[in-house]
Amino acid sequence: MSHNLAEKVLQAHTDEEITRAGQIVTCRVSLVLANDITAPLAIKSFKGMGATKVFDRDKVALVCDHFTPNKDIDSAEQVKVVREFAREMGVTHYYEGGDCGVEHALLPELGLVGPKDIVVGADSHTCTYGGLGAFATGMGSTDIAGALALGETWFKVPPTIRVEYDGVLEPFVGAKDLILALIGRLGVSGALYRALEFGGPVIDNLSIEGRMTMANMAIEAGGKVGLFPADAKTLAYCAAHGRTGDKALKADPGAVYEQELSLSVTGMSPQVACPHLPDNVRPVDELKNLRVDQAVIGSCTNGRIEDLREAAAVLKGRKAHKNVRLIILPATPKIWRQAMEEGLFSIFLDAGAVVGPPTCGPCLGGHMGILAGGERCISTTNRNFRGRMGSLQSEVYLASPAVAAASAVAGEIMHPGKL
Amino acid sequence: MLVTGKVHKVGAHIDTDAIIPARFLVTTDSEVLGANCMEGLEPGWVKRVQKNDILVADENFGCGSSREHAPIAILGAGIPVVVAKSFARIFYRNAYNMGLVLLEVGDDAGKLHDGDKLEVDLDAGQIKNLTTGETIVCAPVPQSMQDLLDAGGLVPYVKKRLAEKQ
């Protein structure tokens, strides 16, 4: 039968025949991921299961990226648990310190994820790898423990919402705006239990980094996965990151979709998600006199080299407003080095930015940029729930790197074209 | 199994940062997490909860991060069951894996009010509102979830599978 992208990838990993959405299937997984917050619980469950070894030590990634460099004694203890487990199990892909980056930027860069893979991670933004054509989804620690032990897990085949983007992108409008606009339209539960499948000429022209930015936020509409076809661009990206044997992937003609949407991007402004939900989206031009205390550029959503270049293009020759703390966190060591070698750090430092290490840090209110009561932050991250970045009385606005950079300069939320 | 307790009502899209803010994720201890349950919604919220009380929510309860600390915090606070209009996906799996029972009741969630006393029959999937006298019948727990519950959660389930493999 004809399969959409989600069904096609699931089918490649199970012996059961996939015939309809809602069917429960057990699939073999290509990679299992956990981080310094979720791995300790997974390890506890893993041991409770009586498991003594991971299903395949080359197919497990443990990335200590959330509260690292360890922010306090308790986080150091948690990382220690993960480190010792990684050693005990002989896990090949264990990262902390100088080889560690934000997990969803790091794994694609290391060539650990690719088209037609099934990736399960104890982190909700695991859906990022959908940008490469992987069925990638977040789960809790105990589900991940089961996958670590068995190398398989169960899935309910999700109904798919197909989203086509057409038209011509305006200056300063990109992947982040495309996904925010969609979340604004669908709502934070609009894709609950569903797969999102992206396509159309705008998507064909989008970079792999941009596709990952979009896939990353599928979960913010409640989605299980955000899937892109794997085209020549995907294959070139995978080859450049050391992978071999990947093949193109697209939905079958006649595949079934629960819903088909189309969004025209022509004339679309940069989008901003206002407090306190990612679906509270408005065009940047409508936001007036919103002074900001902090701007954060980084994270698994927008901490890649392309994002840093976008921010640098706005910041070049400009300074952050004296009332704004500008924090820039390149997402991986490789991106960090590349930004340094391209001269982006000079631009950032001249603008008065703090350039920090790769870490999830402020995105989840962990460390390195926590907000006090009454403060407002413009951020390239993915969630603006109340209290997400600190005080319950603080506010987070989500936007692209260009808008975050422009807002840092203006001292208020600003369209980059209006600086 | 019968659970009798008082309703604590919360709104729509209660995210896992509200259920247990990230600053508490430096532990896996259920008592510590339970003592801080809903701290991101309202500081000191958990003080109102007595053992076997019931959380009632609007749509998309548990959206956001994959942190299993969220169902652990709810259980740790003494709440054995959450009734909601709908649940977020990752939270749904996590809750069953941890042994927290979820009852999805759609618009009937509106018939339950803060402070109502409920008697929940988990086997029959029936909620009796002792305050208003109304009864809500829930959709049956899906078979795959029931299998997990019958096995005592995912941990014993995988334990059994591993033993079979050897």
Side-chain angles (χ1 to χ4, degrees), chain A residues 54-373:
Chain A
V54 296
F55 78 106
D56 185 336
R57 62 196 194 93
D58 294 328
K59 292 181 178 175
V60 174
L62 297 171
V63 184
C64 296
D65 57 354
H66 276 60
F67 290 161
T68 54
N70 298 331
K71 76 184 177 89
D72 54 21
I73 297 169
D74 288 338
S75 359
E77 294 290 349
Q78 294 211 121
V79 170
K80 193 173 156 190
V81 169
V82 186
R83 186 188 306 125
E84 285 172 356
F85 177 78
R87 281 185 191 150
E88 188 191 338
M89 296 293 144
V91 166
T92 313
H93 303 291
Y94 171 74
Y95 303 101
E96 68 164 305
D99 59 1
C100 187
V102 175
E103 50 195 343
H104 309 308
L106 185 69
L107 301 193
E109 193 181 275
L110 293 171
L112 292 178
V113 291
K116 235 177 185 176
D117 281 358
I118 290 185
V119 185
V120 292
D123 188 279
S124 60
H125 292 109
T126 301
C127 51
T128 309
Y129 316 125
L132 291 165
F135 186 103
T137 192
M139 291 182 177
S141 294
T142 298
D143 265 319
I144 288 309
L148 281 173
L150 298 171
E152 61 180 42
T153 191
W154 65 269
F155 295 97
K156 191 167 167 183
V157 178
T160 293
I161 303 175
R162 165 98 185 164
V163 187
E164 292 261 347
Y165 289 84
D166 58 35
V168 182
L169 288 171
E170 307 290 337
F172 303 112
V173 177
K176 186 65 166 284
D177 307 295
L178 297 177
I179 191 65
L180 286 176
L182 179 67
I183 296 166
R185 178 154 160 189
L186 287 174
V188 288
S189 56
L192 193 57
Y193 302 113
R194 286 161 177 79
L196 289 170
E197 181 180 310
F198 300 100
V202 177
I203 298 304
D204 294 342
N205 288 327
L206 205 60
S207 68
I208 296 302
E209 285 84 355
R211 294 177 193 179
M212 288 198 274
T213 295
M214 291 183 68
N216 175 271
M217 290 191 76
I219 178 72
E220 307 317 329
K224 182 180 278 193
V225 291
L227 270 161
F228 288 74
D231 56 13
K233 247 183 221 178
T234 318
L235 299 181
Y237 178 96
C238 290
H241 291 85
R243 289 178 64 93
T244 52
D246 288 317
K247 291 197 179 70
L249 172 72
K250 59 178 182 181
D252 292 332
V256 174
Y257 297 98
E258 184 193 63
Q259 200 183 337
E260 294 185 60
L261 295 177
S262 74
L263 268 84
S264 171
V265 304
T266 307
M268 191 171 97
S269 293
Q271 307 282 302
V272 179
C274 303
H276 290 289
L277 283 174
D279 65 2
N280 189 14
V281 175
R282 293 168 67 186
V284 67
D285 324 78
E286 286 181 15
L287 303 174
K288 308 274 187 219
N289 305 315
L290 284 172
R291 278 184 295 186
V292 295
D293 303 284
Q294 179 168 296
V296 172
I297 298 172
S299 84
C300 57
T301 318
N302 283 123
R304 298 181 185 83
I305 191 68
E306 200 176 272
D307 302 312
L308 301 183
R309 288 180 190 139
E310 181 181 312
V314 173
L315 291 170
K316 192 169 186 178
R318 295 187 168 115
K319 273 199 171 311
H321 190 276
K322 62 180 170 46
N323 295 340
V324 180
R325 309 179 296 270
L326 172 58
I327 299 168
I328 302 178
L329 304 171
T332 68
K334 190 174 169 193
I335 297 166
W336 214 93
R337 182 187 295 274
Q338 199 174 344
M340 181 174 71
E341 289 175 357
E342 287 183 14
L344 306 186
F345 286 179
S346 295
I347 296 170
F348 296 157
L349 294 172
D350 288 346
V354 173
V355 179
T359 179
C360 305
C363 170
L364 73 162
H367 61 155
M368 304 235 178
I370 306 301
L371 300 172

Side-chain angles (χ1 to χ4, degrees), chain B:
Chain B
M1 189 178 136
L2 273 184
V3 176
T4 308
K6 209 168 78 172
V7 169
H8 299 287
K9 193 128 189 214
V10 296
H13 312 300
I14 299 295
D15 59 83
T16 55
D17 282 273
I19 298 169
I20 187 79
R23 64 181 181 279
F24 299 113
L25 305 184
V26 290
T27 180
T28 57
D29 186 287
S30 68
E31 264 184 49
V32 179
L33 294 169
N36 294 293
C37 182
M38 292 292 170
E39 197 64 17
L41 183 71
E42 184 191 320
W45 184 91
V46 76
K47 290 194 190 112
R48 70 190 69 184
V49 177
Q50 291 190 325
K51 193 166 166 51
N52 284 341
D53 277 356
I54 294 155
L55 195 55
V56 177
D58 201 305
E59 65 172 311
N60 200 26
F61 182 82
C63 63
S65 93
S66 70
R67 62 190 70 161
E68 204 165 85
H69 311 67
I72 295 174
I74 294 171
L75 283 167
I79 299 170
V81 53
V82 184
V83 181
K85 186 172 173 182
S86 64
F87 294 96
R89 185 190 67 85
I90 303 176
F91 180 83
Y92 185 87
R93 282 182 81 126
N94 284 348
Y96 277 96
N97 289 342
M98 293 293 100
L100 174 67
V101 177
L102 305 183
L103 297 175
E104 196 167 285
V105 298
D107 290 333
D108 282 348
K111 295 178 183 166
L112 305 173
H113 315 95
D114 204 43
D116 283 357
K117 201 168 178 195
L118 307 185
E119 186 186 86
V120 182
D121 184 335
L122 296 179
D123 303 314
Q126 200 165 297
I127 303 168
K128 203 182 282 177
N129 189 334
L130 302 176
T131 306
T132 64
E134 273 188 281
T135 297
I136 297 170
V137 180
C138 315
V141 173
Q143 190 56 46
S144 54
M145 294 288 109
Q146 191 58 51
D147 291 346
L148 273 184
L149 286 178
D150 291 345
L154 186 65
V155 170
Y157 174 82
V158 175
K159 198 172 192 169
K160 193 167 139 246
R161 286 284 314 278
L162 283 173
E164 285 164 7
K165 277 194 171 184
Q166 272 161 12

